[in-house]
Amino acid sequence: QVQLQESGPGLVKPSETLSLTCAVSGYSISSGYYWGWIRQPPGKGLEWIGSIYHSGSTYYNPSLKSRVTISVDTSKNQFSLKLSSVTAADTAVYYCARYSSSANFDYWGQGTLVTVSS
Amino acid sequence: EIVMTQSPATLSVSPGERATLSCRASQSVSSNLAWYQQKPGQAPRLLIYGASTRATGIPARFSGSGSGTEFTLTISSLQSEDFAVYYCQLGYTFGQGTKLEIK
């Protein structure tokens, strides 16, 4: 069974960089698929942030592209998100998920709430 | 950029009745449309992919249909556990969601 688990600080100060990691178990990232980050502000809908392949190839949401970096560490079977220059608008639950060959997100982490506040 | 628009924003239905949720694309798209269910405090769960294929373990009362720009999620006989928010998704774009509430 594929499992994903997000980890990282739950509180980030404005203008700083948000950093999260997604640990994958039950499947080797090196075997394929894209792996992505999605966020959900409190009470709002889902927003795709970006995705990465095991080779390191990335796709980012154009609205966030200038601030986002997603990287992969196949030796640890995990991938990471960095979002720079955060503001209160970046407060959200951040999910990591697998993007399947059928173009959907079939496995999700439980999500982690990140609050941007001084 | 393709925009996915869901309607209605909120749908009130009684248990045992049928619910029909809509998702419209701003332009004709492939049939790689997916539907998700999200309950409070939980991650979204994949229900339907390829517009009409149920994901593993999803009950038969959930069905998807549509093509081109119009897609539909139907829940044939609502159970108490079905009241949640539903999202459609195409590629990297999500609809804004439909909240299915008890009437």
Side-chain angles (χ1 to χ4, degrees):
Chain A
Q1 177 74 344
V2 181
Q3 293 185 314
L4 297 88
Q5 178 68 57
E6 306 90 349
S7 63
L11 181 64
V12 180
K13 290 182 168 57
S15 79
E16 295 189 345
T17 296
L18 177 160
S19 296
L20 296 173
T21 295
C22 180
V24 179
S25 59
Y27 187 87
S28 173
I29 288 179
S30 297
S31 296
Y33 294 112
Y34 273 87
W35 302 84
W37 289 97
I38 300 110
R39 69 179 182 178
Q40 185 172 38
K44 296 188 178 181
L46 301 164
E47 179 183 36
W48 169 70
I49 300 170
S51 296
I52 190 164
Y53 197 58
H54 67 82
S55 63
S57 174
T58 53
Y59 291 94
Y60 297 139
N61 186 323
S63 69
L64 298 169
K65 186 175 183 178
S66 64
R67 298 194 292 129
V68 174
T69 302
I70 297 176
S71 59
V72 64
D73 186 339
T74 55
S75 66
K76 295 182 178 179
N77 213 40
Q78 64 185 35
F79 59 104
S80 299
L81 168 71
K82 291 187 184 299
L83 181 65
S84 64
S85 305
V86 297
T87 69
D90 295 310
T91 293
V93 174
Y94 285 75
Y95 296 101
C96 57
R98 188 179 82 169
Y99 192 67
S100 81
S101 56
S102 300
N104 56 71
F105 295 97
D106 57 355
Y107 291 96
W108 295 67
Q110 65 184 29
T112 186
L113 174 63
V114 179
T115 302
V116 179
S117 175
S118 56
Chain B
E1 178 187 350
I2 296 174
V3 177
M4 308 300 292
T5 302
Q6 293 185 241
S7 61
T10 303
L11 182 61
S12 299
V13 183
S14 299
E17 294 189 340
R18 174 189 296 258
T20 302
L21 289 69
S22 295
C23 178
R24 173 177 294 179
S26 57
Q27 62 189 76
S28 185
V29 298
S30 69
S31 293
N32 282 331
L33 184 104
W35 290 93
Y36 301 83
Q37 176 193 69
Q38 187 179 34
K39 297 180 180 179
Q42 297 184 15
R45 177 175 70 146
L46 178 65
L47 297 176
I48 301 285
Y49 64 92
S52 61
T53 303
R54 280 189 301 277
T56 302
I58 301 303
R61 64 180 181 273
F62 291 90
S63 63
S65 63
S67 63
T69 61
E70 300 283 346
F71 298 87
T72 300
L73 174 69
T74 301
I75 310 171
S76 60
S77 179
L78 281 164
Q79 307 297 303
S80 58
E81 62 266 29
D82 300 335
F83 293 95
V85 179
Y86 292 83
Y87 294 95
C88 62
Q89 170 252 327
L90 181 79
Y92 292 129
T93 303
F94 291 91
Q96 81 278 22
T98 290
K99 181 179 181 179
L100 181 57
E101 63 177 26
I102 300 175
K103 186 175 182 179

